[in-house]
Amino acid sequence: MPNAISPAQISLDRHSFVPFYRQIADQMKEAIQSGAVSPGQPFWSEGELAAELAISKMTVRQAFQILRAEGLINVAKGKRPLVAAGRLQKNTQELRGFTEEMTRRGLKPSSKILLFQCTVPGSAVLEALKLQEGDQVFIVRRLRLADRQPVGVETSHLPARRFPGLDHQDLERRSLYALLETHFGLKLCWSEEEIEAVPAQKEEADLLQVKRGSALLSLKRVVYDVEGGLVEYGRSLYRGDRYTATVISRRKAL
């Protein structure tokens, strides 16, 4: 099996307090993330690793469970495990756009515009942005890709009167948040986000190249500037097998 990690490349420190399954998972994770193997390539089976390392298949299965949870391998019944690309973490404690998130993680972000229009929105958007009846918004819907792989669909609603000429900007090649700060002189400050898991409908499933009904991570957000002004109401749908959300909670003193 070319270009796949060999069982002989994994060694166990039998005097360590670190469990065998954790040692295996860490070494396999390093091999995947270092590029020694690539997404889509076959991986070694539980039986091959167990035989080579003289340990139980259950121990290897525990290592595989860790890697599956982190989106680093895909395991189908009766087939060899396949290397996966890993999960992308969404840090909900920092207000960053997709372009900034991916760039910080060493990935190449790109976008495809699915919809870009100025229109009168529905009541939910009017209420979220505190707009008046008849006010218009720009709707920007984009397919988001990381290293040319589709990972999310983002829909943004922005008050048209605040951003005249926004529809003349190139949002396939430019970051929306960077554009708002540099071209329109805004200072983005904070956001409120609502996170839930939802099943993929046909359109999102086709765009994200997943099966209909697959788990998606849904993030609804309202973004504010430093003066408390409403900037954006948006919803993002991310592939559940590629995205996790990180939340930091602190206990207040009683």
Side-chain angles (χ1 to χ4, degrees):
M1 190 192 321
N3 298 324
I5 185 172
S6 163
Q9 291 176 256
I10 296 177
S11 61
L12 297 179
D13 182 350
R14 299 182 184 273
H15 301 289
S16 172
F17 290 107
V18 179
F20 287 165
Y21 70 86
R22 184 76 257 182
Q23 293 184 45
I24 295 169
D26 288 346
Q27 291 179 60
M28 294 170 72
K29 181 176 180 179
E30 182 178 353
I32 293 170
Q33 294 184 334
S34 69
V37 290
S38 302
Q41 290 184 329
F43 220 67
W44 294 94
S45 69
E46 292 177 3
E48 289 168 325
L49 277 171
E52 178 70 26
L53 299 173
I55 57 176
S56 71
K57 289 178 65 176
M58 179 60 69
T59 299
V60 177
R61 189 168 302 144
Q62 287 178 286
F64 278 18
Q65 287 173 346
I66 293 173
L67 295 169
R68 288 179 67 181
E70 296 185 17
L72 291 170
I73 62 169
N74 293 320
V75 182
K77 187 175 181 180
K79 296 183 179 180
R80 282 186 178 277
L82 296 178
V83 178
R87 293 182 184 272
L88 305 170
Q89 290 192 345
K90 166 68 175 173
N91 187 339
T92 60
Q93 301 302 303
E94 296 183 29
L95 178 56
R96 290 201 296 260
F98 179 86
T99 300
E100 296 167 306
E101 285 269 8
M102 296 304 102
T103 301
R104 285 170 64 99
R105 299 183 188 285
L107 302 173
K108 184 179 180 179
S110 58
S111 301
K112 179 181 179 181
I113 297 291
L114 304 173
L115 176 69
F116 199 166
Q117 67 179 28
C118 186
T119 186
V120 175
S123 57
V125 176
L126 286 174
E127 182 179 351
L129 293 174
K130 302 295 188 290
L131 298 175
Q132 303 296 317
E133 290 289 340
D135 283 348
Q136 293 187 318
V137 299
F138 287 112
I139 302 177
V140 186
R141 191 163 190 252
R142 292 172 291 175
L143 176 65
R144 302 299 235 161
L145 304 99
D147 286 348
R148 294 182 293 182
Q149 299 297 314
V151 295
V153 177
E154 295 185 345
T155 304
S156 300
H157 301 82
L158 303 104
R161 56 184 168 80
R162 291 202 70 180
F163 307 112
L166 179 65
D167 51 339
H168 298 304
Q169 302 296 323
D170 183 359
L171 290 180
E172 281 201 346
R173 295 176 177 82
R174 298 191 64 181
S175 160
L176 173 60
Y177 287 175
L179 178 68
L180 295 181
E181 292 187 319
T182 57
H183 185 78
F184 292 97
L186 283 187
K187 182 65 175 177
L188 302 178
C189 187
W190 62 286
S191 68
E192 293 178 296
E193 294 193 352
E194 177 184 308
I195 306 172
E196 63 179 331
V198 299
Q201 302 302 311
K202 184 179 185 307
E203 182 182 8
E204 290 85 15
D206 291 344
L207 289 168
L208 297 174
Q209 300 176 14
V210 298
K211 292 182 179 179
R212 187 173 181 177
S214 298
L216 300 180
L217 184 67
S218 169
L219 281 80
K220 294 180 181 178
R221 67 187 175 278
V222 179
V223 178
Y224 298 82
D225 61 23
V226 290
E227 297 177 350
L230 287 155
V231 175
E232 176 200 22
Y233 170 70
R235 187 191 187 199
S236 299
L237 293 170
Y238 298 115
R239 286 178 50 161
D241 63 338
R242 294 295 315 277
Y243 247 89
T244 58
T246 301
V247 179
I248 299 173
S249 301
R250 290 185 172 87
R251 184 173 175 83
K252 290 185 177 180
L254 300 177

